[in-house]
Amino acid sequence: MTATIDHFVGGERVAASGNRFGDVFDPASGAVRARVPLASESEVDTAVAAARAAFPDWAATAPPARARILFRYQMQLRDHIDELARIVSSEHGKTLDDARGSVTRGIEVVEFACGIPQLLKGEHNEGVASGIDSYSFRQPLGVCVGITPFNFPAMVPMWMFPVAIACGNTFVLKPSERDPSAAVRIAELAVEAGLPAGVLNVLHGDREAVDGLIAHPEVDAVSFVGSTPIAERVYRAASQAGKRVQALGGAKNHLVVMPDADLDQTVEALMGSAYGSAGERCMAVSVAVAVGDDVADALVERLSPRVRDLHIGGFEDPQAEMGPLVTGAHRNRVRGYVDAGVEEGAELVVDGRGVGPTTAGNGGNGGTDSDGGFFLGGCLFDRVQPQMSIYTDEIFGPVLSLVRAKSYEEALTLVNDHEYGNGAAIFTRDGDTARDFTTRAKIGMIGVNVPIPVPSAFHSFGGWKRSLFGDHYMHGPEGVRFYTRLKTITQRWPSGVREQADFSIPTHR
């Protein structure tokens, strides 16, 4: 009998009360491994009510006491990192090393959250006017909601809720229904570390649950990560409902290769950043912009055999460099983009369609694909034009497009003219060019000889343009600002001198 994944509400696993369920697959075999409940309106109400009930006591808990629980929690996570990595890999399909790395990046945000009491300090000014002092401090919002994507089922939730709860909020997490088990386990570990019941809850569901959480009158803030069309819809709906919102959307990350770049280093960077996690990363490099035909020809010559020789397999394969895609529907969507690229006239240098896992004797990029898993080999396009769908759209798969630019200025224009502004990188030995790129590129996160410039936990993560809706980035200082509101107090104590009413606007006299 297929197992059913539970919600996690009020500090314990809770069986579904509704009758709607979705399938959770093993991407390496294509088999259904579990079913996940799709929450009803009443289940949304129950989860939010648990968070609301826990909020007063948790908000009144001293920040150092909250931090001590988070210190214990990060140790719990480290002790269970291999378990969490296997859960992630078994439902998402990424390799164990990649899954372990993603859990580690999530733990780094928990470590940052342990120091949030320092960032909750306010400001104080004595004597802003005669006998009047002014000071400010930050207070929690209330019940916060996190809606997270399938590509990082442990890391992205941990970019949200540790910061929120360290600031004194309570949290309802709605993970992707494609790989929901990691969210339940990390919530369970938080309770085992001492987090009070109801402070962190996990509710599974689809659009009905998302819409219910966004509209719920007891929800104060919404954090979202996903595709741009849904991010924009969530931002507009939650804003209209009076919530504070940060909604991170899609990406089309460019890596500009200058003529003076170290091509060996560049090729290694492109391989890892384009094909790692089967390209299912919002920070994946999906466009390489080669400045000059000589650079482009050299890149194609060096990349082609590397892409063909990718070792593809399930997470149980210790040699696997790239796993399957998360579902059959998503694999077919990515295949469709490859088909469109060929039809639009791009040169498909390496064709990963129909490629399956690498087995002994077949070498390289795998054997023939089968219905036994959601595999797709690495794809490499050359001579891609800006009007092609493989350039304009976020594919979210192992597809790298090479665009040829005649000059640095043309390459920079390509980066700046794209609707997405999440990440970009430049590979060069020239400091002046690098400095100009970091200054003029209209991008939220930039790498110089670094292909995936994801900021450390104590900095903040977010893009520009249609990659971010809202005013605040995720985690780091921006995360603290998002999950708190500023209160400023102006005070005066009577000195025994009675004053007459003043009907003019107060001034500093």
Side-chain angles (χ1 to χ4, degrees), residues 441-471:
K442 298 175 182 177
I443 301 294
M445 295 169 285
I446 295 177
V448 176
N449 299 318
V450 174
I452 306 179
V454 178
S456 298
F458 42 87
H459 290 271
S460 298
F461 179 101
W464 287 14
K465 297 183 281 191
R466 290 180 57 79
S467 292
L468 174 69
F469 299 88
D471 297 325

Side-chain angles (χ1 to χ4, degrees), residues 153-217:
M155 183 184 79
V156 173
M158 286 194 281
W159 282 9
M160 296 178 182
F161 73 79
V163 179
I165 64 178
C167 291
N169 302 284
T170 54
F171 206 88
V172 179
L173 172 63
K174 207 300 289 181
S176 171
E177 63 273 27
R178 299 181 189 178
D179 44 12
S181 296
V184 175
R185 187 62 182 130
I186 59 180
E188 201 168 44
L189 290 172
V191 171
E192 292 175 11
L195 193 70
V199 173
L200 175 60
N201 309 274
V202 178
L203 184 75
H204 304 297
D206 54 7
R207 177 170 178 168
E208 182 176 326
V210 170
D211 290 345
L213 290 167
I214 289 172
H216 202 287

Side-chain angles (χ1 to χ4, degrees), residues 305-314 317 319-323 350-370 375-378:
R306 293 293 307 278
V307 179
R308 291 192 185 95
D309 289 343
L310 278 169
H311 189 106
I312 299 171
D317 182 350
Q319 296 182 323
E321 296 171 304
M322 192 175 85
V350 180
D351 186 355
R353 295 171 296 180
V355 170
T358 303
T359 57
N362 71 21
N365 210 359
T368 302
D369 193 12
S370 70
F375 291 95
L376 182 71

Side-chain angles (χ1 to χ4, degrees), residues 85-151:
R86 290 190 70 84
I87 293 172
V88 169
S89 292
S90 64
E91 292 184 353
H92 176 272
K94 64 179 71 200
T95 66
L96 273 175
D97 281 347
D98 189 29
R100 193 177 293 110
S102 71
V103 175
T104 299
R105 291 304 296 259
I107 294 172
E108 289 173 359
V109 177
V110 179
E111 291 175 336
F112 164 75
C114 292
I116 277 178
Q118 162 73 12
L119 297 179
L120 296 178
K121 294 189 306 184
E123 298 174 323
H124 184 277
N125 282 98
E126 182 181 21
V128 295
S130 179
I132 296 178
D133 303 328
S134 186
Y135 61 95
S136 62
F137 49 77
R138 308 198 72 88
Q139 291 185 313
L141 304 174
V143 176
C144 300
V145 163
I147 302 163
T148 57
F150 71 81
N151 59 326

Side-chain angles (χ1 to χ4, degrees), residues 384-403:
V384 174
Q385 299 298 315
Q387 71 275 11
M388 295 177 178
S389 61
I390 55 172
Y391 177 81
T392 59
D393 296 0
E394 182 180 39
I395 299 174
F396 227 61
V399 181
L400 177 62
S401 296
L402 181 66
V403 179

